Amino acid sequence: MKGVITIIYDNGKKNYTDSVAIRGRGNNSWTHPKKPYRIKLGKSTRLMNLPAKARNWTLINNYGDKTLMRNILAFDFSRRVEMPYTSPAEAVDVVLNGDYKGCYQLCDHIDVRKNRVEIEEMSSGDLTGGYMIEIDAYADAEPKKFYTKLYNIPVTIKYPDDDEITYEQENYIASHFIKLTTAVYSSGYSDPANGFGQYMDIETFLRHFLVGEYSGNTDTYWSVRMTKKKEDDKFNFGPVWDFDLAFENDRGTYPINENAKLTNEWLC
């Protein structure tokens, strides 16, 4: 759907108007009465003075979270533990064709650019990076994906884009991720030189892990984004995403603290 968007912000003191294309987004979230959207502006801008200059932005519906706060709170914690990149998150009221649609969360569309995911932009001749992938439970619905023989992990390739990635690049990033799973599976997995540490940035892994565990987010392990930079063998973890079921909002894990005391285990 195409139209015109007007954004009023800074307590009504400022506004921004542009052409816009709107489409639905999400997997399970799209099944709810309150729909999530992706918006594409006519020109790149730092929307509401947010860090990245871009055309693509996201409106998260947060339908499963009646407080409308869980994503914003988790993103704030991610910034506090100094993850390399965390999407901004602004609560906004959305009116579509004169109808009030509710309070949404305006945030980045997760893509490769300055002040978002900052890895090398690829050309067809590049091979070692940069890449963005996602361990993704919805991989079956994605065009660019692979599965590991060990652990049967579903992985989608998020960057380079579907219509730009080459056959050689697909094979390279799949093979490189399989090196990580092979190292994890090996008897010498913890060896400093030959274990999984040669393919995993431990610091971003631990920070990503702590955000998921602190928030009690069962979806943390349903979807894990990772990046690989050029000429660097290690996968970096992040950005974090999708916390509407966190903070005691999932019947499958609630009450998290009591269950943890009984089993003395992390959520994962």
Side-chain angles (χ1 to χ4, degrees):
M1 180 171 60
K2 295 183 178 181
V4 175
I5 187 171
T6 297
I7 299 167
I8 303 169
Y9 62 105
D10 195 13
N11 293 320
K13 297 176 185 176
K14 297 179 182 178
N15 66 79
Y16 177 82
T17 299
D18 197 354
S19 60
V20 67
I22 307 171
R23 68 175 180 84
R25 65 171 304 280
N27 293 292
N28 180 65
S29 58
W30 182 249
T31 67
H32 299 311
K34 183 184 179 185
K35 303 297 185 184
Y37 301 105
R38 177 172 160 186
I39 60 175
K40 186 174 184 179
L41 303 175
K43 57 185 178 182
S44 293
T45 188
R46 290 182 59 231
L47 204 56
M48 294 178 65
N49 296 321
L50 296 178
K53 185 176 182 181
R55 295 176 65 192
N56 289 295
W57 301 82
T58 328
L59 287 169
I60 305 297
N61 54 343
N62 287 325
Y63 181 80
D65 173 17
K66 304 312 178 189
T67 73
L68 305 175
M69 293 173 59
R70 286 177 166 87
N71 269 304
I72 292 175
L73 179 60
F75 284 13
D76 179 70
F77 182 64
S78 175
R79 283 185 284 271
R80 288 172 186 263
V81 299
E82 299 179 353
M83 287 292 286
Y85 159 69
T86 305
S87 172
E90 296 286 340
V92 295
D93 288 314
V94 174
V95 178
L96 180 63
N97 294 333
D99 293 329
Y100 177 64
K101 296 298 182 180
C103 182
Y104 280 70
Q105 176 185 320
L106 173 70
C107 52
D108 287 348
H109 168 64
I110 304 301
D111 61 2
V112 174
R113 68 179 58 246
K114 184 178 179 181
N115 293 322
R116 285 187 178 172
V117 177
E118 296 198 25
I119 55 176
E120 299 87 354
E121 293 191 30
M122 296 271 276
S123 68
S124 59
D126 294 325
L127 191 62
T128 64
Y131 291 92
M132 179 165 57
I133 61 174
E134 179 182 359
I135 298 174
D136 184 3
Y138 293 110
D140 282 348
E142 298 296 327
K144 298 298 180 180
K145 56 185 175 290
F146 60 89
Y147 299 81
T148 64
K149 184 176 180 180
L150 293 171
Y151 307 113
N152 193 33
I153 301 172
V155 182
T156 56
I157 303 172
K158 297 299 185 182
Y159 182 83
D161 293 335
D162 299 340
D163 58 350
E164 295 179 352
I165 191 169
T166 67
Y167 177 77
E168 291 76 16
Q169 289 168 345
E170 284 188 59
N171 281 343
Y172 172 84
I173 194 60
S175 297
H176 197 75
F177 186 82
I178 288 168
K179 290 180 181 179
L180 170 59
T181 60
T182 302
V184 170
Y185 186 79
S186 71
S187 59
Y189 68 92
S190 61
D191 182 88
N194 302 311
F196 63 79
Q198 63 184 315
Y199 300 115
M200 177 192 294
D201 180 76
I202 304 298
E203 188 164 311
T204 55
F205 168 79
L206 290 173
R207 291 171 194 246
H208 184 278
F209 176 83
L210 288 172
V211 175
E213 293 297 328
Y214 172 78
S215 63
N217 185 29
T218 50
D219 278 344
T220 287
Y221 309 106
W222 188 262
S223 166
V224 181
R225 285 177 169 84
M226 305 163 69
T227 58
K228 182 191 176 299
K229 294 182 178 180
K230 191 173 184 178
E231 305 297 342
D232 185 351
D233 280 343
K234 294 185 178 182
F235 286 99
N236 291 269
F237 285 70
V240 300
W241 196 256
D242 197 5
F243 291 86
D244 58 327
L245 296 182
F247 299 106
E248 305 287 299
N249 198 32
D250 184 349
R251 288 176 295 180
T253 54
Y254 172 87
I256 294 166
N257 287 337
E258 288 186 20
N259 289 337
K261 288 177 183 177
L262 289 173
T263 61
N264 195 30
E265 293 177 351
W266 294 89
L267 180 64
C268 74

